[in-house]
Amino acid sequence: VKMSKSLGNVINPDEIVKTYGADTLRVYEMFMGPFNQSVAWSTESIIGSRRFLEKVWKIGMKVQALSNTFAQDYPASQRHHSQKYQTSALARLLHKTIKKVGEDIESMSFNTAISTMMILATEMDKSGVVEREDYKKFLQILAPFAPHMAEELWKLLGEKKSINISTWPKYDESAMKEEELKVVVQVNGKVRAEIMVQADEDEESVKQKALKNETILKFVSTNQVKKIIYVKGRLLNIVV
């Protein structure tokens, strides 16, 4: 049912802003569902968007504190990203999120863009250390959705110019590649185990790794392997 004064179901945005903040309202409106479809308003559900922004703020406070400590303890000439971090799961997720959010904004798929950023925020919150430059990239893709908070955090990190005139971050295709992949192993179509393989591992090596798995051995040791079907990086089915 559409909002109507005669029906008495109009939501006053001023009250929502007063309680939860303008950014929470903006994020929730775009997170409710596909932009071109009808959706039922639920004031109770808005708390999820508020918690998301609170999590982003908490991460920002950690990053700011670490940045200040880092600046005091290490000279500028010694500051650099380690190769290990650049290829970490968190770095890969950041670049995937930048790509996804950019594409979703173009297609007006705002709800999935926010959902993707929520996943990244959760992983950043779990991580012990979030690089300052990576967090700033996160703020840049969040800014169209939560401009006030993104601007505030941007300034707290020492930026003098507005985040809204900063350059949209670029994602790195090479940084998005997985080092390890989880392959599901089936026996006669039933899932029996999961194995970790290198992203560039050849098919024969994956087959041997699966056949040596303790769980899989129980099914193949007393049966003849007739065929092995491998879907690269996803699935391996052993037919006995």
Side-chain angles (χ1 to χ4, degrees):
V1 179
K2 292 183 179 179
M3 288 185 186
S4 168
K5 286 185 178 180
S6 61
L7 294 172
N9 64 348
V10 175
I11 301 297
N12 185 348
D14 292 340
E15 293 301 316
I16 301 295
V17 170
K18 184 178 179 181
T19 305
Y20 298 102
D23 282 347
T24 299
L25 177 61
R26 285 173 61 95
V27 169
Y28 179 59
E29 283 187 316
M30 289 183 276
F31 183 59
M32 289 173 75
F35 195 67
N36 60 350
Q37 296 180 20
S38 299
V39 64
W41 178 268
S42 171
T43 305
E44 289 77 18
S45 300
I46 201 171
I47 193 65
S49 298
R50 173 69 184 189
R51 286 173 179 163
F52 162 57
L53 294 180
E54 287 176 350
K55 185 180 293 182
V56 174
W57 183 270
K58 184 174 74 171
I59 298 166
M61 295 301 97
K62 288 181 180 178
V63 172
Q64 184 188 21
L66 286 171
S67 296
N68 293 338
T69 302
F70 193 74
Q72 293 172 6
D73 294 345
Y74 299 95
S77 60
Q78 294 180 15
R79 297 173 203 168
H80 63 278
H81 292 290
S82 68
Q83 187 64 31
K84 182 179 181 181
Y85 178 82
Q86 289 291 350
T87 57
S88 71
L90 187 59
R92 282 195 296 273
L93 181 58
L94 171 66
H95 287 279
K96 287 180 180 179
T97 304
I98 293 171
K99 182 176 187 292
K100 173 71 173 166
V101 172
E103 292 171 348
D104 283 352
I105 288 176
E106 291 289 339
S107 63
M108 297 182 74
S109 302
F110 305 130
N111 58 320
T112 54
I114 293 169
S115 177
T116 305
M117 287 188 288
M118 285 179 170
I119 294 171
L120 177 59
T122 297
E123 293 305 313
M124 282 185 165
D125 191 34
K126 290 179 183 176
S127 176
V129 176
V130 176
E131 295 283 343
R132 180 175 178 272
E133 292 304 312
D134 287 343
Y135 182 70
K136 285 168 60 180
K137 290 175 182 176
F138 181 30
L139 291 179
Q140 287 173 305
I141 62 175
L142 176 65
F145 304 88
H148 305 93
M149 194 182 78
E151 185 76 56
E152 181 74 12
L153 288 165
W154 184 254
K155 293 291 177 62
L156 286 173
L157 290 175
E159 294 295 328
K160 303 300 182 185
K161 296 182 179 179
S162 172
I163 192 172
N164 298 303
I165 59 172
S166 65
T167 304
W168 188 262
K170 295 181 179 179
Y171 59 86
D172 185 350
E173 289 282 1
S174 62
M176 291 164 57
K177 293 180 179 178
E178 298 284 348
E179 292 180 331
E180 279 194 325
L181 302 171
K182 183 184 292 183
V183 173
V184 174
V185 182
Q186 297 179 336
V187 178
N188 291 342
K190 292 186 177 181
V191 176
R192 299 298 184 184
E194 293 178 344
I195 59 173
M196 299 303 297
V197 303
Q198 296 298 312
D200 57 352
E201 196 161 342
D202 63 85
E203 184 174 341
E204 187 58 35
S205 175
V206 174
K207 289 179 180 179
Q208 292 302 316
K209 189 174 288 186
L211 291 170
K212 292 177 182 177
N213 180 274
E214 290 184 9
T215 304
I216 300 303
L217 278 172
K218 295 176 184 178
F219 295 94
V220 302
S221 59
T222 57
N223 297 288
Q224 182 182 355
V225 177
K226 298 177 181 178
K227 182 168 59 173
I228 299 178
I229 303 167
Y230 179 51
V231 179
K232 186 174 176 61
R234 293 175 56 195
L235 173 71
L236 187 141
N237 186 31
I238 302 171
V239 181
V240 297

